[in-house]
């Protein structure tokens, strides 16, 4: 019999020891889930007097890739941001807590690892040792704030299905965003996206196991795009003059214990392209940008960071990282 797709769910938890799976402590509402175990097959191509190329396939190293996406919830989205940035400082004695996230620059510079628990009706598979390699955020004035995430992990293993429970916090509408460029609030941004990327290298060694020795996170890059109603030449000149204005994308709702916030702050947004568009009844400007490393956006681990993210929610200290 077929199994229903919409009974699927995704759980997550922070690991104490890299690669040691832990039961899910939170559950993320998702729209798509793309698990993929990757077994390397090593070809035996030794010639044996026959017109044949491959005689056998030997099991080599095994790891996994995982992708998922959905709407941004201001509490569960923290797992993605903390997982790619790594430096998390939480303040507050009770809800709402404020979580400030920047690039981790101390110790090995490695962000936390997580275990994903993927329930797909037939079974539940845990993907341990998971490290995020890409987190993208998109918004528009007529849609919800959305995200996509990609990660690498150890190969999956089956486990007992957990009992899911979900946040009561709703997702966020894009029209409620406040965008600030160069310290000035603007109202002409129709849509945009910000993408955080860092290569995660699979390190395989001869240690008696098929699992990777490490999943090693490299340096962070942050880039994005904005579509603007072109009221004047100000943003076009920011490109031509290499002005590198600050950029804030901020959504704050509610007050007191139920107050929530998702904010992305980039002190130096370098416009790498700007194109005037006439495909609609009004003139648009499409802007590509790269967030540049600076000390202002750095966290408690010091150094440089191209971005600082702030979340406000009811998630307690020590949960994300």
């Amino acid at each position: 019999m077929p199994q229903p797709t919409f009974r699927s769910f995704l759980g997550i938890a922070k690991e104490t020891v890299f690669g040691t799976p832990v039961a899910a402590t939170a559950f993320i509402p998702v729209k798509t889930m793309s698990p993929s175990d990757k077994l390397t097959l090593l070809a035996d191509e030794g010639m044996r007097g026959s017109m044949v190329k491959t005689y056998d396939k030997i099991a080599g190293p095994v790891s996994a890739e995982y992708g998922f996406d959905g709407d941004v919830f201001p509490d569960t989205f923290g797992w993605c941001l903390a997982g790619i940035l790594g430096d998390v400082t939480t303040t507050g004695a009770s809800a709402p807590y404020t979580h400030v996230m920047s690039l981790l620059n101390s110790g090995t510079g490695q962000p936390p690892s997580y275990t994903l628990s993927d329930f797909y009706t037939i079974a539940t598979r845990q993907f341990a040792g998971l490290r995020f390699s890409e987190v993208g955020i998109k918004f528009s004035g007529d849609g919800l704030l959305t995200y996509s995430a990609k990660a690498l992990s150890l190969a999956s293993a089956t486990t007992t299905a957990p009992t899911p429970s979900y946040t009561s916090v709703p997702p966020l509408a894009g029209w409620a965003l406040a965008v600030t460029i160069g310290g000035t609030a603007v109202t002409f941004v129709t849509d945009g996206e910000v993408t955080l990327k860092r290569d995660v290298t699979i390190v395989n060694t001869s240690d008696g196991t098929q699992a990777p020795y490490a999943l090693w996170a490299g340096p962070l890059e942050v880039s994005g795009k904005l579509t603007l109603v072109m009221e004047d030449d100000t943003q076009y000149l920011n490109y031509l003059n290499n002005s590198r204005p600050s950029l804030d994308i901020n959504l704050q709702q509610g007050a007191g214990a139920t107050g929530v916030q998702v904010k992305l702050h980039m002190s130096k947004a370098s416009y790498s392209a700007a194109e005037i568009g006439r495909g609609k009844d009004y003139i648009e400007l499409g802007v590509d940008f790269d967030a540049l490393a600076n000390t202002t956006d750095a966290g408690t681990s010091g150094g440089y960071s191209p971005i600082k993210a702030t979340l406000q929610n009811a998630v307690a200290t020590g949960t994300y990282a």
Side-chain angles (χ1 to χ4, degrees), residues 200-212:
V200 176
T201 301
I202 300 172
V203 183
N204 292 309
T205 60
S206 298
D207 61 355
T209 69
Q210 287 179 277

Side-chain angles (χ1 to χ4, degrees), residues 245-297:
S246 62
L247 174 61
D248 288 275
I249 299 167
N250 185 25
L251 201 162
Q252 193 163 9
Q253 291 181 340
T258 59
V260 296
Q261 181 183 26
V262 176
K263 181 180 179 180
L264 304 178
H265 171 75
M266 291 151 277
S267 290
K268 291 184 178 181
S270 175
Y271 291 6
S272 55
E275 183 175 343
I276 299 171
R278 297 180 176 87
K280 297 180 179 177
D281 291 337
Y282 56 90
I283 297 175
E284 292 183 315
L285 182 68
V287 172
D288 295 349
F289 66 87
D290 297 305
L292 304 180
N294 64 90
T295 56
T296 301
D297 294 344

Side-chain angles (χ1 to χ4, degrees), residues 161-187:
T163 300
S165 60
Y166 294 95
T167 175
S168 60
V169 178
L172 305 171
W175 63 262
L177 278 171
V179 179
T180 302
I181 301 176
T184 301
V186 299
T187 59

